[in-house]
């Protein structure tokens, strides 16, 4: 069978790599892919990003299964388009993808279905928003409504920062994009800048990801991301600077609560609301000292970089799982995981996250192996091939991911491998996994 993975990040490289290991899969195409998927002889890049053109190509090539990595094509309706033409695709419809693409939608959904999350209000009017934060006090969290690649959130530790964030996020006119945020339409059909202001939650974060077929779920291994740019969780928010799996903060009790209080009510709620959820459902959890999980956000896709360590640990044939997930067959499906932890360290470009530089030559990349039992993998993200060279072409460039008998062991191997790879201005945190490694 031929399979298509949509996207160009480290997540898509890892998904394509895992799918290519299935004996049932002949070819894995990645659209548009990156320098790493171009290098791998089992993967082939397809330079099409337009959704309708990609659908036409997939039909022509008799693609048996399409897996969509990033949120943008999902929010743009790629799943609806593929399904309309009888193509098998794993991901949420445009309507269901609102769980991620609209914070206002997902917060209202959670309120309606009693799913634990921070208290909040939504505003289009700056005066009312300012009055609200004055009333609530700091710390408080201000979020732009719309897709902003993790950059539309300000955790304001004082009122001045909160007021500034409101002005910044609401200042853009209907046509402008602050932070690259796509404005959502309000009830009146007008796309307006909108902010969600919510209660500050304390605790430890974890990424809780499941696969849904509309009714049933299969859980992925747990993981933890590192969102801030710098060591010690300092500096600006990014898409994620490294991740490891499993996350010890998700104890069996926390896992059971997250399933019972968040995941299952969400899947049931979406079904009841007439927009059944298919695809990866990713709950960003904040787990308090008592082990109570609350939902920080939903994503309607796998996490990046969480996917990279998670895929390193997956033992089940991923193609089989995907076929079950796209035919309502996830009931009773349990995925098998390598008991060893995996940890991925992101190497980011000079200037990331604000203004990543492109065109730096990457050297020291290890040679590819097709051994599925490999315990160190360099997943590519913002890379491109030029002649014999690999050049940086985006913010997050590589995710060096390793298995180890302990988190510390995986951390050691990942950093050892990363040290051999260089490009000008490379940024890398030195403490990925710190919460799980005893000093
Ligand atoms: P989001 O994109 O909504 O997940 O927010 C990005 C990051 O901001 C999260 O991973 C948290 O670190 C932080 N954050 C978001 N909402 C809150 C909240 N209500 N309380 C504390 N931190 C938050
Ligand atoms: N790593 C966080 C995300 O994918 O949203």
């Amino acid at each position: 069978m031929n399979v298509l993975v949509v996207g160009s990040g480290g997540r898509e490289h890892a998904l394509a790599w895992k799918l290519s290991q299935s004996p049932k899969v002949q070819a894995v195409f990645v659209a548009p892919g990156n320098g790493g998927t171009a290098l791998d002889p089992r993967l082939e890049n397809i330079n099409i990003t337009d959704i309708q053109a990609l659908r036409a190509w997939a039909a022509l090539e008799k693609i048996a299964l399409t897996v969509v990595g990033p949120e943008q094509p999902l929010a743009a309706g790629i799943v609806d388009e593929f399904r309309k033409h009888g193509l098998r695709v794993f991901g949420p419809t445009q309507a269901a993808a609102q769980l991620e693409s609209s914070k206002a939608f997902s917060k209202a959904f959670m309120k309606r279905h009693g799913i634990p999350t921070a208290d909040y209000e939504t505003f289009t009017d700056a005066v009312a928003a300012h009055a609200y934060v004055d009333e609530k006090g700091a710390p408080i969290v201000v979020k732009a409504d719309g897709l902003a690649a993790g950059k539309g959130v300000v955790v304001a530790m004082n009122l001045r920062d909160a007021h500034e964030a409101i002005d910044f996020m609401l200042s853009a006119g209907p046509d402008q994009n602050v932070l690259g945020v796509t404005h959502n339409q309000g009830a009146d059909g007008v796309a307006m800048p909108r902010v969600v202001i919510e209660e500050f939650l304390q605790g430890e974060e974890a990424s809780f990801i499941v696969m849904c077929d509309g009714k049933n779920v299969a859980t992925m291994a747990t993981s933890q991301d590192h969102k801030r740019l710098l060591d010690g969780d300092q500096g600006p928010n990014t898409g994620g600077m490294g991740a490891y799996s499993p996350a010890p903060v998700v104890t069996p009790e926390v896992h059971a609560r997250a399933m019972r209080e968040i995941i299952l009510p969400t899947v049931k709620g979406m079904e009841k609301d007439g927009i059944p959820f298919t695809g990866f459902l990713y709950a960003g959890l904040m787990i308090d000292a008592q082990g109570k999980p609350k939902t920080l956000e939903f994503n309607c896709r796998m996490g990046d970089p969480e996917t990279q360590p998670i895929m390193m640990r997956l033992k089940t044939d991923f193609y089989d799982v995907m076929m079950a997930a796209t035919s309502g067959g996830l009931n009773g499906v349990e995925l098998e995981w390598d008991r060893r932890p995996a940890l991925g360290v992101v190497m980011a470009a000079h200037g990331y996250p604000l203004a990543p530089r492109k065109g730096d030559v990457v050297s020291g990349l290890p040679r590819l192996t097709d051994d599925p039992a490999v315990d160190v993998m360099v997943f590519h993200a913002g890379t491109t091939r030029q002649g014999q060279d690999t050049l940086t072409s985006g913010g997050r460039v590589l995710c060096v991911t390793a298995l180890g008998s302990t988190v510390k062991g995986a951390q050691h191997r990942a950093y050892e491998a990363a040290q051999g790879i260089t490009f000008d201005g490379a940024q890398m945190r030195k403490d990925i996994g710190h919460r799980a490694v005893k000093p």
Side-chain angles (χ1 to χ4, degrees):
M1 295 296 168
N2 291 344
V3 173
L4 170 65
V5 174
V6 178
S8 63
R11 166 184 49 212
E12 288 75 31
H13 189 183
L15 292 170
W17 169 76
K18 185 46 82 178
L19 282 163
S20 75
Q21 289 171 7
S22 168
K24 299 183 184 106
V25 171
Q26 267 90 51
V28 180
F29 298 95
V30 191
N34 58 40
T37 52
L39 270 173
D40 190 326
R42 292 162 309 172
L43 310 178
E44 187 173 330
N45 286 353
I46 295 298
N47 194 17
I48 305 175
T49 47
D50 175 76
I51 289 175
Q52 288 185 8
L54 196 57
R55 181 265 301 155
W57 176 87
L60 203 66
E61 293 293 324
K62 305 211 167 23
I63 296 293
L65 166 76
T66 297
V67 180
V68 186
E71 58 273 29
Q72 293 87 353
L74 294 166
I78 191 170
V79 167
D80 311 68
E81 173 69 16
F82 272 55
R83 280 197 193 147
K84 199 164 72 194
H85 291 84
L87 290 165
R88 184 186 282 255
V89 57
F90 187 62
T93 59
Q94 185 173 39
Q98 286 181 97
L99 267 188
E100 172 168 5
S101 63
S102 166
K103 297 235 185 249
F105 174 91
S106 71
K107 294 298 281 190
F109 173 85
M110 286 189 264
K111 201 177 213 172
R112 202 161 60 242
H113 294 283
I115 294 158
T117 187
D119 284 338
Y120 77 102
E121 291 285 341
T122 305
F123 299 91
T124 50
D125 174 36
V127 176
H130 287 302
Y132 182 76
V133 300
D134 280 335
E135 179 201 325
K136 292 287 175 184
I140 195 155
V141 182
V142 184
K143 302 185 174 186
D145 182 32
L147 292 179
K151 287 169 262 173
V153 175
V154 173
V155 180
M157 298 314 286
N158 55 59
L159 281 177
R160 209 192 58 194
D161 288 356
H163 288 304
E164 224 176 75
I166 291 168
D167 284 336
F168 184 54
M169 290 178 192
L170 287 182
S171 63
D175 303 329
Q176 282 172 287
N177 271 359
V178 173
L179 295 163
V181 172
T182 319
H183 301 318
N184 290 315
Q185 288 186 0
D188 53 3
V190 178
M192 286 272 288
R194 216 176 296 270
V195 288
V196 172
I197 301 182
E198 68 176 41
E199 170 199 6
F200 172 75
L201 296 178
Q202 258 168 324
E204 188 172 335
E205 287 181 53
S207 305
F208 198 100
I209 307 174
V210 301
M211 293 173 74
C212 303
D213 66 7
K215 245 186 207 318
N216 311 292
V217 302
T219 54
M220 305 298 282
T222 61
S223 57
Q224 191 172 58
D225 186 16
H226 299 65
K227 293 226 158 101
R228 303 295 194 97
L229 181 69
L230 305 173
D231 286 2
D233 299 318
Q234 302 295 310
N237 257 325
T238 69
M241 292 299 289
Y244 65 101
S245 168
V249 64
V250 186
T251 59
E253 293 73 34
V254 172
H255 197 283
R257 277 189 88 160
M259 286 300 285
R260 195 172 62 236
E261 296 172 15
I262 296 172
I263 299 294
L264 297 176
T266 300
V267 176
K268 281 210 178 70
M270 291 295 278
E271 200 186 352
K272 199 163 140 211
D273 290 354
I275 31 177
F277 193 92
T278 51
F280 292 108
L281 177 64
Y282 163 158
L285 302 183
M286 184 70 92
I287 299 153
D288 73 11
Q290 283 71 48
K292 179 171 175 59
K294 285 193 178 177
T295 315
L296 281 174
E297 62 166 349
F298 282 121
N299 295 316
C300 60
R301 52 174 175 78
M302 282 289 283
D304 189 344
E306 291 95 322
T307 305
Q308 292 84 317
I310 290 175
M311 286 298 119
M312 288 289 280
R313 296 186 59 221
L314 181 62
K315 292 176 107 173
T316 316
D317 186 312
F318 203 32
Y319 177 76
D320 285 345
V321 177
M322 284 289 172
M323 294 310 272
T326 45
S327 57
L330 282 182
N331 194 15
V333 169
E334 273 199 39
L335 306 188
E336 198 193 336
W337 303 99
D338 195 317
R339 294 177 68 85
R340 291 173 296 170
L343 183 142
V345 176
V346 168
M347 299 182 75
H350 175 86
Y352 178 73
L354 273 181
R357 186 171 70 197
K358 298 181 181 177
D360 290 307
V361 177
V362 182
S363 46
L365 286 169
R367 236 181 317 135
L368 278 170
T369 159
D370 57 8
D371 176 5
V374 61
D375 56 9
V376 180
M377 269 297 295
V378 179
F379 294 111
H380 287 231
T383 66
T384 184
R385 293 286 292 166
Q386 194 178 81
Q388 292 305 303
D389 287 333
T390 297
L391 305 181
T392 65
S393 67
R396 292 183 293 173
V397 176
L398 304 168
C399 182
V400 185
T401 312
L403 287 160
S405 49
T406 58
V407 177
K408 198 172 186 135
Q411 187 188 48
H412 180 77
R413 295 201 73 136
Y415 277 111
E416 199 176 50
Q419 247 130 42
I421 305 171
T422 51
F423 52 91
D424 274 354
Q427 304 188 75
M428 172 170 77
R429 275 181 63 160
K430 294 286 185 307
D431 65 345
I432 301 303
H434 67 91
R435 284 197 181 76
V437 174
K438 305 279 172 292

